[in-house]
Amino acid sequence: MTKVTSIVVGAGLAGLSAAYSLARDSIDVLVVERGDYPGAKNITGGRMYFLPIRSLFPELWDEAPWERHIVREVLTGVSKCSSLSIEFSNQKYNNKPYHSFTILGSRFNKWFAQKVAEKGARVINKYKVDDLILDNGKVKGIVVGGAQIEADVVIAADGTMSQIAEKAGLRGKREPQDFALGVKEVIALSPQTIEGRFRLKADEGIAQLFVGSLTKGMLGAGFLYTNRDCISLGLVLGIKDLTDCHLNVMPYELLEEFKLRPEIVPLINGGESVEYSAHVLSESGIKGMPKLFGDGILVAGDAAGMAMNMGLTVRGMEFAIASGALAAEAVRMAKKQNDFSAGALSKYQDLLKESFVWKDLNTFRHAPDVLANPRLFGEYPQLACTMMEKLMTVGEEPKKKLSTTISKELRSRLALSLLRDSFRFWRM
Ligand SMILES: Cc1cc2nc3c(=O)[nH]c(=O)nc-3n(C[C@H](O)[C@H](O)[C@H](O)COP(=O)(O)OP(=O)(O)OC[C@H]3O[C@@H](n4cnc5c(N)ncnc54)[C@H](O)[C@@H]3O)c2cc1C
């Protein structure tokens, strides 16, 4: 039977980061990825916040295939026939080191995997890890393509639905409200068209979030990110709402409706749809984390539930990269002692607790409860649009005082709920 020091299951950002760190420390590592190539199955929005991970692999970032650095944020509330946008731009976002970048998983992970291979790791594609070799609950390797490969340690970086963490007995039962479904389309446009339509200079990009009637009252939001020569447009929808709801509407239908909105049509007009994807995201934050270590095993990235929806931002990519690197650090320490027991590998959790990953997930631990509020996705965006309509429209009748219009709207609709929800929001 073949034996290696470490096996990484999954060539997403978590797995590649772990493998790169291990190979850089000259630790024998094998990466097994079920996709045709690293990046083939990695779906993200995606905007990556750069500053938290900048110091991890400084030698890599200058040549990374970033799409555009974000210089403008737009938050748009939509009702059936109107929309209200808040735009935020910051000159500082145009200074290096850039605050955040858009990326395409298919390009970025492919490049990252090349760097991993150049460091000396072996990356095998088109193979799904079917099982773990277990001996009295201790992980001793993997079963892949009918063969067994032994290892001192396995890093499960196999994404949100991690079967590897489950097989190792590290994950408990999860509920539909712990997940969301993302559907995304990539629409090709020339860089000049993108820059003209979005008022951007070369390399600059925007991130836009949409909330309101586009999700038909379900927990969720729309997103639009500009890449170098394409736009990423998609929706994230709570799975519990999708399955409970009696609207009988499919996520791809909602995405089609989203594309037909007057705010979107002129932005994607003439573009060619070049990629369509759907993927599950973890929505439960720190509460949804499995046990992160066991005898001969560690869990990183989405497999460990390290994703966070803060309403205004979705984060997971920096958590994946950082947790992969910390898992590798724990393996390096374990190898020094030649001890891969759960006790030795628990160092991973200590390292995580000192890092931004744990701290941010813990700070925003109430976010899933606060966001599980249908008013945020229906009534409030509607209220904002109605109020603007009343303020901006001059009709045949004499116009009322602005204060009268605002207080009437607030009183007649949701004043009490708004107060209660603002108080809940304070917990975030
Ligand atoms: C629609 C959407 C929008 C998002 N937007 C953002 C965003 O804007 N910003 C942000 O930071 N995060 C965002 N996220 C979250 C972010 O993409 C993830 O948190 C991050 O990419 C997770 O990386 P990962 O390596 O842990 O998992 P993944 O990228 O899922 O990688 C897991 C890998 O394991 C492989 N695999 C699985 N099982 C096996 C097996 N048995 N054998 C071999 N290989 C296996 C898969 O093929 C895959 O390549 C978004 C996610 C979605 C779905």
Side-chain angles (χ1 to χ4, degrees):
M1 201 188 301
T2 322
K3 170 140 196 210
V4 293
T5 306
S6 58
I7 292 174
V8 174
V9 184
L13 292 173
L16 292 170
S17 166
Y20 183 86
S21 311
L22 289 165
R24 193 174 57 178
D25 285 338
S26 306
I27 296 173
D28 181 27
V29 52
L30 171 71
V31 184
V32 186
E33 165 58 43
R34 68 179 171 171
D36 286 351
Y37 58 90
K41 289 192 178 283
N42 305 106
I43 316 302
T44 189
R47 169 235 286 252
M48 194 192 289
Y49 292 94
F50 178 56
L51 300 181
I53 51 151
R54 182 181 160 218
S55 60
L56 285 178
F57 311 119
E59 71 280 16
L60 283 184
W61 301 135
D62 278 349
E63 49 175 300
W66 305 115
E67 295 296 321
R68 292 172 181 270
H69 63 274
I70 300 295
V71 294
R72 203 177 326 129
E73 313 268 354
V74 187
L75 175 62
T76 301
V78 299
S79 71
K80 212 166 176 190
C81 59
S82 58
S83 65
L84 171 66
S85 291
I86 301 171
E87 188 173 302
F88 175 69
S89 55
N90 187 347
Q91 285 312 310
K92 287 187 198 158
Y93 289 173
N94 239 332
N95 300 337
K96 280 188 174 178
Y98 296 126
H99 165 253
S100 67
F101 291 95
T102 49
I103 69 150
L104 288 166
S106 50
R107 288 180 189 164
F108 198 91
N109 290 33
K110 207 176 192 177
W111 162 81
F112 202 176
Q114 266 168 21
K115 296 292 149 193
V116 168
E118 282 167 22
K119 278 279 169 225
R122 281 165 292 170
V123 184
I124 301 178
N125 306 317
K126 299 187 194 174
Y127 276 96
K128 177 174 178 287
V129 174
D130 297 312
D131 215 339
L132 290 172
I133 306 172
L134 288 168
D135 178 8
N136 275 333
K138 293 181 182 157
V139 176
K140 295 283 180 186
I142 58 167
V143 181
V144 58
Q148 297 201 343
I149 307 177
E150 275 191 21
D152 290 322
V153 60
V154 172
I155 299 179
D158 52 334
T160 312
M161 305 308 288
S162 180
Q163 287 180 3
I164 300 300
E166 208 170 300
K167 283 177 192 292
L170 300 178
R171 176 180 288 300
K173 192 171 178 297
R174 300 181 80 189
E175 303 295 335
Q177 62 266 27
D178 295 330
F179 299 103
L181 178 74
V183 281
K184 173 182 154 186
E185 197 164 327
V186 176
I187 300 165
L189 284 168
S190 73
Q192 296 74 17
T193 307
I194 291 174
E195 285 149 25
R197 284 184 188 174
F198 291 90
R199 296 177 284 119
L200 299 167
K201 296 200 196 95
D203 297 338
E204 291 180 348
I206 76 148
Q208 188 162 2
L209 186 80
F210 299 82
V211 281
S213 61
L214 75 164
T215 59
K216 299 199 187 298
M218 290 184 274
L219 183 149
F223 60 84
L224 183 154
Y225 296 110
T226 50
N227 304 307
R228 199 161 289 280
D229 53 7
C230 58
I231 286 171
S232 295
L233 186 73
L235 289 172
V236 172
L237 301 156
I239 286 190
K240 181 166 191 305
D241 282 6
L242 262 178
T243 47
D244 280 358
C245 139
H246 305 295
L247 292 171
N248 214 7
V249 63
M250 301 301 283
Y252 70 85
E253 291 170 330
L254 289 178
L255 183 54
E256 283 309 308
E257 284 180 23
F258 183 31
K259 283 166 62 188
L260 291 174
R261 283 199 63 99
E263 299 85 9
I264 300 294
V265 169
L267 302 177
I268 59 172
N269 190 25
E272 187 197 348
S273 177
V274 290
E275 193 182 301
Y276 196 94
S277 53
H279 202 275
V280 176
L281 296 82
S282 174
E283 281 279 305
S284 47
I286 202 163
K287 291 180 197 157
M289 271 192 188
K291 191 163 178 242
L292 299 170
F293 57 87
D295 287 309
I297 186 159
L298 293 170
V299 192
D302 273 8
M306 292 172 187
M308 189 165 77
N309 180 354
M310 288 167 50
L312 295 178
T313 53
V314 174
R315 291 176 62 190
M317 288 194 270
E318 326 93 77
F319 295 154
I321 291 177
S323 62
L326 294 176
E329 175 63 10
V331 170
R332 195 183 61 77
M333 291 168 150
K335 187 168 188 296
K336 231 174 168 178
Q337 312 294 330
N338 195 25
D339 177 2
F340 295 92
S341 65
L345 291 173
S346 69
K347 186 71 192 158
Y348 171 50
Q349 183 159 304
D350 300 340
L351 292 169
L352 271 171
K353 282 189 172 171
E354 287 161 22
S355 76
F356 78 91
V357 177
W358 193 283
K359 287 178 183 166
D360 283 2
L361 284 165
N362 189 42
T363 300
F364 291 95
R365 64 192 177 282
H366 298 302
D369 298 332
V370 175
L371 293 176
N373 175 354
R375 283 187 289 277
L376 296 177
F377 308 97
E379 286 153 291
Y380 293 150
Q382 175 70 51
L383 173 67
C385 290
T386 310
M387 207 130 80
M388 278 313 279
E389 186 182 331
K390 297 246 163 93
L391 292 174
M392 304 308 286
T393 309
V394 177
E396 290 170 1
E397 301 294 319
K399 213 163 159 48
K400 298 222 166 46
K401 278 176 77 175
L402 299 185
S403 54
T404 313
T405 309
I406 294 174
S407 60
K408 187 170 166 231
E409 274 305 309
L410 279 178
R411 248 185 294 122
S412 67
R413 306 167 70 114
L414 300 161
L416 254 178
S417 318
L418 197 59
L419 209 68
R420 254 199 320 260
D421 291 340
S422 314
F423 187 69
R424 291 179 74 200
F425 212 73
W426 216 240
R427 297 172 73 208
M428 243 170 61

